[in-house]
């Protein structure tokens, strides 16, 4: 029981990091990035091939295999995925319409799954990558290792939280929110919409990469089966429920959706007739949550926080 | 030499499937402004509708009809029950996109709950390949080609020659003007969702016929090529969708037969990226003013 | 707001800050703007009137970089800004408003002014993450100015209201507030008084007078002559994309083509 609690908490902590990155893109910049999970996956892959030793075909196959320390893997994931986000954003944002962006990102993600599945030498194809390293395996053992890993995720999550919170409150964050609400008006006030969006997209992808690296290290295995559109929507619904553009909201939403609601379907008794009942009904629930929240409570549980007069009260 | 013509022949078959799927998507988009991310599931519903009919002992033609009708009903329901409020409220585009994605989750997994998540297949007549002109087609492919061409022709006829079609075009052009000049906008939009649902579902039946087996992601996996075609043509344009479908269909099949099958997707994405870089609004879209919408 | 109170120039001193020459734009063969030339000096207000569809908004959109021109040039302060991107045009000192007020729905009135009062260069990750002290000072200074502008516009009590829930007139005022924070050289206003109640029109007028007294050149687009008050220095008349008359209000009112342009419109209706 306690083991389950620790691992569930670790998962929630990692998902929170992912939600924070997506909130930067969706909540602040209004970018509905349906390829978000693709960037998470790339973070996982980059981390794996940087930290794992050389591949050993035919048992395992992947590129690089640099056998670097955990931290190097983490940083590489954030940096490489940030660059990838920049490149893809530069193309996908060529047309600045919101629906175009969603469609293009979905198309790119769908293509990427197929490509990575087909080209085994890249990241192990459909089989994926195994034995992904975990940090400090020698120092902690058993349950204390799990606690250590949870603590590490929480600390990294806190750092990410502080950074995205600083961004949100800054002129940069304010400009993003303006672009999100009316990009023509933002352009008319001198804001370079394309540039602002690319920046937000890149930063969000970088967070996705970091989260993906932690995810890979936590699960120790990663394959294309783990990332479909549904996974992106799962993170997105955390943001919707908690409150878009609000980082506290994203945290709360992740806790509610992944930590609590996500467990509800496991209460349904399993029958041999339908082994997928739990997974299926979980996704149905998520679909319903998206519709219900956007229909009746589109600002989420903790709505966006505005700069109030009392925040900037000047004593002259 | 024959590999090339064979591949082009296959390409034409996928092109007609993509064209049906992409024009249904584009039409729904152009009348209501909703990019339907649950579009793929309309194809899936069509395929499973035909499957049910077959399991009840009906033939494939009846199955296609039942699949088409179910797709039409679901397309209409989607709009009428869920999306209409968002459209009327003038909700942010990202909301409608996310909502359709939510609908997709619900539909896919409900189909999974009902039919199970393992693959199924439609029973089609024995495959006999024959040469027609330079091309080599199986009888199933021929049925798809002819059926698809007839459907597309019917779609064009409706759009260009009937009052319903004129209403659709008027609304796509300018909904307010259309309303002001007496077009029954609401009814037309609902009818369009119904028609396009049926069209997509029929494409789904054809897609299922051409695959050895399929599962609940039949249609959503097809979204990649559908969207690629729609974007290349310029989203919302039926002509664009057809041209995009031809490009995507033929190029992916040809490249797939010369390189490995995995290159199909690489090619689709590459074309998409090039088009986005060169003409971000699609091949058929002339620049439209963004300022005073 | 009382910084450099320039005297009313009435448009006969100094070279023009803003010159538009031979602007042309077709939409599918139909000319929307067909050879429009205008010029404005600092502190001058030029009224641009014309019936529906005469190309006023299109002209503004071309000048401000939202629509590409087929031909012609736009020169601001001696710099050619023709067909620059809209944000570049704005940063070079030429700012427009839209025919339907466009505000950022989820942002409060205060936030609108905070954005407009901060230089684009400050919207960097560096300012956000590293130059924290600088940022605090910047915020304080901007907030002070924003508070002044809000009071000037009588929007003080609505500072914390989200713009999406403001009335049409209040949104328009807020747009003007953004302009006051930004301090551009040239302002293009697209029918700013349309659908705004008379008291608020007076308030908008007050802002226009204030900006002009600070030396801003203003192009004021209006639907008909009556809406233009005496504060306009000159009037230009647009019909079917062409300028058909230009001069002071009284002279323009007498020109037969102007009368026909409006009568023609009335017949169409
Ligand atoms: N994006 C566009 N595509 C095609 N035609 C356009 C476009 N924008 C404007 N037009 C046409 O150009 C002409 C001028 O339009 P514009 O909006 O500039 O007129 P206006 O003088 O601002 O009218 P109003 O007083 O109604 O605001 C009209 O005939 C209009 O239909
Ligand atoms: Mg206008």
């Amino acid at each position: 029981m306690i083991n389950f609690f620790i691992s569930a908490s670790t998962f929630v902590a990692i998902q929170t990091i992912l939600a924070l990155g997506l909130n930067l893109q969706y909540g602040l910049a209004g970018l509905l990035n349906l390829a978000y999970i693709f960037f998470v996956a790339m973070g996982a892959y980059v981390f794996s091939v940087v930290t794992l030793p050389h591949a050993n075909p035919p048992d395992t196959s992947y590129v690089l295999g640099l056998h670097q320390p955990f931290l190097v893997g983490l940083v590489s994931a954030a940096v490489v995925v940030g660059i990838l986000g920049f490149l893809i954003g530069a193309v996908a944002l060529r047309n600045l319409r919101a629906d175009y962006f969603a469609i293009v990102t979905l198309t790119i993600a769908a293509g990427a799954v197929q490509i990575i599945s087909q080209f085994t030498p890249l990241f192990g194809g459909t089989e994926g990558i195994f034995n992904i390293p975990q940090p400090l395996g020698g120092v902690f053992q058993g349950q204390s290792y799990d606690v250590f890993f949870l603590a590490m995720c929480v600390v990294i999550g806190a750092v990410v939280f502080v950074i995205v919170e600083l961004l949100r409150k800054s002129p940069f964050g304010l400009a993003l929110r303006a672009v999100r609400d009316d990009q023509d008006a933002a352009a008319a006030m001198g804001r370079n919409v394309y540039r602002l969006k690319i920046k937000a997209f890149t930063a969000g992808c970088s967070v996705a990469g970091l989260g993906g690296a932690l995810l890979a290290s936590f699960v120790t295995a990663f394959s294309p089966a783990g990332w479909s559109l549904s996974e992106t929507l799962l993170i997105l619904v955390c943001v919707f429920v908690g409150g878009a553009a609000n980082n506290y909201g994203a945290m709360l939403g992740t806790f509610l959706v992944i930590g609590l609601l996500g467990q509800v379907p496991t209460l349904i008794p399993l029958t041999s007739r339908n082994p997928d009942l739990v997974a299926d009904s979980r996704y149905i629930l998520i679909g319903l949550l998206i519709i219900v929240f956007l229909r009746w409570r589109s600002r989420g549980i903790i709505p966006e926080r505005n700069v109030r007069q009392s925040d900037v009260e000047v004593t002259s | 030499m024959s590999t090339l013509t064979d591949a082009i022949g296959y390409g034409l078959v996928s092109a007609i499937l993509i064209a049906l799927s992409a024009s249904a998507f584009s039409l729904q988009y152009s009348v209501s402004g909703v990019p339907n991310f649950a579009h793929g599931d309309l194809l899936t519903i069509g395929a499973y509708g035909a499957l049910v009919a077959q399991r009840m002992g009906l033939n494939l033609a009846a199955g296609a009809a039942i699949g088409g009708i179910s797709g039409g009903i679901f397309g209409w329901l989607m709009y009428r029950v869920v999306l209409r409020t968002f459209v009327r409220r003038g909700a942010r585009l990202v909301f409608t996109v996310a909502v359709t994605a939510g609908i997709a989750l619900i539909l896919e997994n409900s189909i999974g709950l009902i039919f199970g998540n393992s693959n199924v297949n439609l029973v089609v007549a024995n495959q006999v390949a024959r040469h027609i002109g330079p091309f080599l087609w199986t009888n199933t492919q021929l049925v798809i080609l002819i059926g698809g061409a007839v459907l597309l022709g019917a779609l064009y006829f409706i759009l260009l020659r009937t009052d319903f079609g004129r209403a659709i075009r008027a609304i796509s052009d300018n909904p307010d003007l259309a309303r002001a000049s007496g077009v029954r906008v609401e009814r037309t939009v609902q009818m369009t969702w119904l028609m396009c649902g049926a069209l997509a579902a029929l494409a789904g039946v054809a897609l299922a016929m051409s695959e050895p087996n399929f599962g609940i992601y039949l249609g959503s996996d097809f979204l990649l090529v559908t969207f690629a075609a729609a974007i290349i043509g310029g989203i919302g344009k039926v002509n664009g969708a057809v041209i995009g479908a031809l490009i995507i269909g033929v190029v992916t099949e040809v490249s797939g037969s010369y390189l490995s099958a995995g290159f199909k997707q690489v090619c689709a994405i590459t074309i998409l990226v090039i088009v986005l870089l060169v003409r971000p609004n699609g091949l058929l879209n002339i620049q439209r003013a963004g300022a005073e919408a | 707001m009382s910084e450099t109170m320039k005297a009313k120039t009435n448009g006969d001193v100094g070279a023009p800050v803003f010159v538009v020459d031979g602007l042309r734009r077709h939409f599918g063969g139909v000319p929307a703007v067909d050879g429009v030339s205008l010029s404005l000096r600092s502190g001058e207000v030029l009224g641009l009137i014309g019936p529906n569809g005469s190309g006023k908004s299109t002209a503004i959109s071309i000048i401000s970089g939202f629509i590409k021109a087929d031909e012609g040039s736009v020169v601001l302060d001696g710099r050619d800004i023709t067909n620059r991107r809209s944000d570049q045009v704005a940063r070079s000192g030429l700012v427009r408003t839209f025919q339907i007020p466009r505000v950022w729905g989820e942002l409060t009135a205060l936030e609108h002014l905070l954005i407009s009062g901060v230089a684009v260069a400050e919207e960097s990750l560096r300012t956000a993450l590293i130059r924290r002290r600088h940022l605090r000072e910047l915020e304080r200074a901007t907030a002070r100015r924003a508070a002044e502008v809000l009071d000037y516009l009588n929007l003080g009590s609505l500072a914390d209201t989200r713009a999406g829930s403001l009335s049409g007139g209040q949104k328009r005022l807020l747009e003007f507030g953004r302009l006051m924070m930004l301090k551009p050289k040239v302002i293009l206003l697209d029918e700013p008084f349309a659908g705004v109640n008379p008291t608020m029109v007076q308030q908008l007028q007050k802002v226009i007078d204030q900006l002009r007294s600070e030396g801003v050149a203003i192009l004021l687009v209006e639907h008909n002559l009556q809406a233009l008050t005496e504060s306009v220095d000159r009037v230009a008349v647009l019909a079917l994309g062409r300028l058909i008359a230009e001069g002071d209000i009284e002279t323009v009112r007498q020109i037969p083509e102007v009368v026909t342009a409006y009568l023609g419109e009335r017949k169409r209706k």
Side-chain angles (χ1 to χ4, degrees):
Chain A
M1 186 62 207
I2 185 87
N3 278 337
F4 170 77
F5 178 77
I6 294 172
S7 77
S9 305
T10 312
F11 188 62
V12 169
I14 296 173
Q15 289 286 326
T16 305
I17 296 176
L18 299 182
L20 290 172
L22 187 63
N23 199 22
L24 185 59
Q25 297 180 339
Y26 173 76
L28 290 187
L31 296 169
L32 189 52
N33 174 11
L34 293 179
Y36 191 71
I37 197 69
F38 160 70
F39 294 100
V40 176
M42 291 314 291
Y45 286 131
V46 169
F47 172 82
S48 306
V49 299
V50 167
T51 52
L52 277 169
H54 276 303
N56 190 6
D59 297 344
T60 56
S61 53
Y62 45 82
V63 287
L64 297 177
L66 299 179
H67 205 33
Q68 292 296 310
F70 177 79
L71 270 181
V72 176
L74 221 53
V75 172
S76 318
V79 171
V80 172
V81 177
I83 294 171
L84 192 68
F86 174 81
L87 294 176
I88 291 182
V91 177
L93 288 166
R94 285 274 296 165
N95 186 313
L96 286 173
R97 272 175 30 191
D99 47 349
Y100 247 89
F101 183 75
I103 292 174
V104 171
T105 50
L106 178 76
T107 311
I108 288 175
V113 177
Q114 313 238 15
I115 291 168
I116 289 177
S117 307
Q118 302 271 353
F119 296 96
T120 314
L122 199 53
F123 298 124
T126 337
E127 294 282 298
I129 301 182
F130 309 95
N131 296 326
I132 301 170
Q134 297 193 312
L136 299 182
V139 183
F140 302 96
Q141 248 88 45
Q143 203 175 69
S144 65
Y145 187 83
D146 296 343
V147 173
F148 156 73
F149 202 93
L150 170 62
M152 180 183 74
C153 290
V154 169
V155 169
I156 295 176
V159 172
V160 170
F161 183 86
V162 169
I163 293 175
V164 291
E165 200 48 15
L166 286 178
L167 290 182
R168 182 186 69 80
K169 288 182 186 161
S170 72
F172 173 63
L174 203 52
L176 288 181
R177 290 165 56 215
V179 163
R180 173 200 66 193
D181 283 2
D182 187 331
Q183 55 189 19
D184 284 336
M189 298 304 285
R191 269 61 194 179
N192 186 336
V193 174
Y194 183 64
R195 224 180 120 158
L196 282 165
K197 283 188 174 181
I198 286 187
K199 274 189 182 178
F201 188 68
T202 305
C205 286
S206 194
V207 175
L210 184 74
L214 286 175
L215 192 62
S217 180
F218 174 56
V219 186
T220 70
F222 206 81
S223 75
W227 45 291
S228 58
L229 174 65
S230 332
E231 248 54 46
T232 299
L233 295 178
L234 179 63
I235 305 170
L236 194 63
V237 87
C238 298
V239 174
F240 285 156
V241 168
N246 190 316
N247 293 318
Y248 294 94
M251 264 198 316
L252 176 71
T254 313
F255 174 72
L256 291 179
V257 174
I258 310 241
L260 298 184
L261 255 181
Q263 308 305 326
V264 169
T266 49
L267 303 177
I268 303 171
L270 272 186
T271 62
S272 54
R273 209 176 69 83
N274 207 331
D276 299 311
L277 189 66
V278 171
D280 284 349
S281 43
R282 180 179 288 154
Y283 284 118
I284 293 176
L285 193 66
I286 288 164
L288 286 173
L289 269 183
I290 294 180
I291 298 173
V292 166
F293 264 82
L294 290 185
R295 171 76 177 76
W296 283 287
R297 210 183 159 86
S298 58
R299 308 185 76 226
I301 296 176
I302 317 181
E304 177 166 1
R305 174 98 167 76
N306 291 98
V307 182
R308 308 242 172 73
Q309 219 164 17
S310 51
D311 300 333
V312 294
E313 211 68 84
V314 277
T315 44
S316 47
Chain B
M1 189 58 215
S2 78
T3 25
L4 178 63
T5 48
D6 287 356
I8 293 177
Y10 295 156
L12 290 177
V13 177
S14 21
I16 204 112
L17 286 177
I18 302 172
L20 288 175
S21 173
S23 41
F25 171 80
S26 281
L27 268 182
Q28 288 181 336
Y29 177 83
S30 67
V31 293
S32 54
V34 177
N36 185 7
F37 280 69
H39 175 78
D41 303 295
L42 292 172
L43 275 76
T44 315
I45 286 172
Y48 275 89
L51 181 79
V52 169
Q54 236 181 20
R55 285 186 180 167
M56 293 189 324
L58 299 172
N59 66 17
L60 204 49
I66 288 177
I69 292 170
S70 351
I73 292 172
F74 271 94
W76 176 73
L77 281 177
M78 236 181 238
Y79 178 76
R80 180 64 188 76
V81 177
V82 186
L83 292 165
R84 193 172 69 158
T85 28
F86 288 92
V87 173
R88 286 196 172 165
R89 248 201 274 166
R92 277 158 57 184
L93 209 46
V94 282
F95 283 16
T96 42
V97 171
V99 166
T100 59
I103 295 175
L105 271 188
I106 296 173
L107 287 180
E108 264 157 34
N109 291 287
S110 303
I111 296 174
L113 273 185
I114 297 167
F115 294 94
N117 289 344
S118 45
N119 281 356
V120 290
N121 67 296
L122 289 180
V123 182
V124 291
N126 275 342
Q127 297 299 304
V128 189
R130 70 186 86 184
H131 278 279
I132 293 180
F135 302 119
L136 181 70
W137 281 315
T138 65
N139 39 9
T140 305
Q141 285 178 320
L142 259 181
V143 168
I144 293 174
L145 263 180
I146 296 169
V150 169
L151 275 177
L152 264 186
L155 179 65
Y156 270 95
F157 178 80
I158 291 175
L159 283 179
L160 299 176
R161 287 291 147 84
T162 65
D163 286 343
F164 176 48
R166 274 184 281 274
I168 290 179
R169 283 184 294 140
I171 296 170
S172 322
D173 223 38
N174 185 338
D176 295 328
L177 196 63
R179 187 171 287 119
S181 37
V183 174
R184 295 168 71 180
V185 174
E186 183 54 41
R187 209 181 80 122
T188 309
V189 171
Q190 290 192 26
M191 292 292 291
T192 307
W193 276 74
L194 187 121
M195 177 181 79
C196 292
L199 204 60
L202 288 171
V205 176
L207 185 63
M209 282 165 61
S210 63
E211 303 271 337
N213 54 46
F214 63 93
I216 59 172
Y217 297 115
L218 174 78
S220 44
D221 285 345
F222 202 65
L223 270 188
L224 165 61
V225 282
T226 302
F227 281 177
I231 298 169
I232 288 172
I235 297 176
K237 306 238 178 305
V238 173
N239 286 336
V242 174
I243 291 172
L246 268 176
I247 296 174
I248 289 286
V250 173
V251 172
T252 53
E253 285 300 334
V254 170
S255 67
S257 76
Y258 278 91
L259 310 163
S260 90
F263 272 97
K264 282 187 188 180
Q265 272 78 29
V266 183
C267 270
I269 302 256
T270 312
I271 300 172
L272 180 71
V273 167
I274 293 172
V275 169
L276 278 174
L277 286 175
V278 183
R279 301 201 60 154
N281 292 314
L283 295 179
L284 279 203
N285 256 349
I286 47 165
Q287 189 213 345
R288 280 181 56 165
E292 215 90 0
Chain C
M1 288 299 96
S2 52
E3 285 178 34
T4 42
M5 280 284 199
K6 279 186 190 167
K8 226 177 179 180
T9 50
N10 274 332
D12 44 21
V13 200
V17 283
F18 171 61
V19 180
V20 172
D21 190 37
L23 222 50
R24 231 177 270 276
R25 169 73 204 216
H26 296 249
F27 287 114
V30 188
V33 170
D34 196 7
V36 167
S37 304
L38 299 165
S39 75
L40 272 170
R41 296 168 212 279
S42 288
E44 187 184 24
V45 181
L46 172 64
L48 180 64
I49 60 162
N52 282 123
S54 54
K56 307 178 298 285
S57 298
T58 307
I60 286 194
S61 290
I62 299 171
I63 295 169
S64 55
F66 281 87
I67 298 179
K68 294 266 173 287
D70 294 336
E71 274 174 52
S73 68
V74 181
V75 176
L76 176 67
D77 244 358
R79 275 173 60 204
D80 187 354
I81 56 164
T82 321
N83 286 342
R84 292 281 190 82
R85 272 200 331 263
S86 50
D87 59 295
Q88 294 173 323
V89 172
R91 285 200 299 279
S92 64
L94 187 151
V95 179
R96 70 169 298 179
T97 62
F98 296 87
Q99 188 160 348
I100 303 157
R102 299 196 51 175
V103 293
W104 301 301
E106 295 288 316
L107 271 57
T108 62
L110 176 66
E111 286 176 320
H112 278 71
L113 302 191
L114 292 181
I115 293 179
S116 318
V118 167
V120 172
E122 302 289 359
E123 285 162 3
S124 64
L125 301 185
R126 202 164 84 93
T127 306
L129 300 176
I130 301 164
R131 305 178 67 202
R132 303 287 303 155
R133 180 194 296 264
H134 165 75
L135 178 57
R136 262 195 303 279
E137 280 161 15
L138 182 72
E139 277 170 345
R140 201 166 301 145
T142 320
R144 191 173 304 138
R145 231 154 48 80
E148 277 172 26
V149 171
L150 280 173
D151 284 341
Y152 183 84
L153 297 172
N154 287 331
L155 285 178
S157 59
L158 295 172
D160 292 341
T161 309
R162 278 188 293 134
S165 49
L166 294 176
S167 76
Q170 289 164 338
K171 284 180 184 162
R172 186 64 85 195
L173 265 179
L174 193 53
E175 280 194 320
F176 275 47
R178 287 197 298 218
L179 297 177
M180 297 182 74
M181 293 294 288
L182 204 61
K183 296 194 184 298
K185 296 175 197 144
V186 179
I187 293 177
L188 317 177
L189 302 172
D190 198 349
E191 305 198 21
F193 306 137
V196 177
N197 74 45
T199 13
M200 221 166 255
V201 167
Q202 273 181 358
Q203 237 173 331
L204 293 171
Q205 192 62 58
K206 188 178 80 167
V207 179
I208 292 177
D209 290 340
Q210 170 70 32
L211 287 168
R212 131 204 267 189
S213 72
E214 289 169 15
V216 181
I218 298 173
L219 181 73
L220 181 58
V221 164
E222 261 310 325
H223 193 73
N224 51 50
L225 262 172
Q226 280 74 16
L228 290 180
T229 49
E230 65 288 352
S231 68
V232 177
D233 300 305
R234 278 182 303 137
V235 176
V237 184
L238 201 60
L240 298 172
R242 290 168 182 274
L243 283 182
I244 55 169
E246 195 177 339
D248 63 67
I249 280 199
E250 280 316 310
T251 332
V252 165
R253 221 191 284 275
Q254 314 300 325
I255 299 176
E257 279 107 338
V258 177
V259 182
T260 351
Y262 278 96
L263 283 179
E265 191 209 3
R266 215 168 290 152
K267 247 179 249 153
R268 255 211 322 252
K269 271 189 177 166

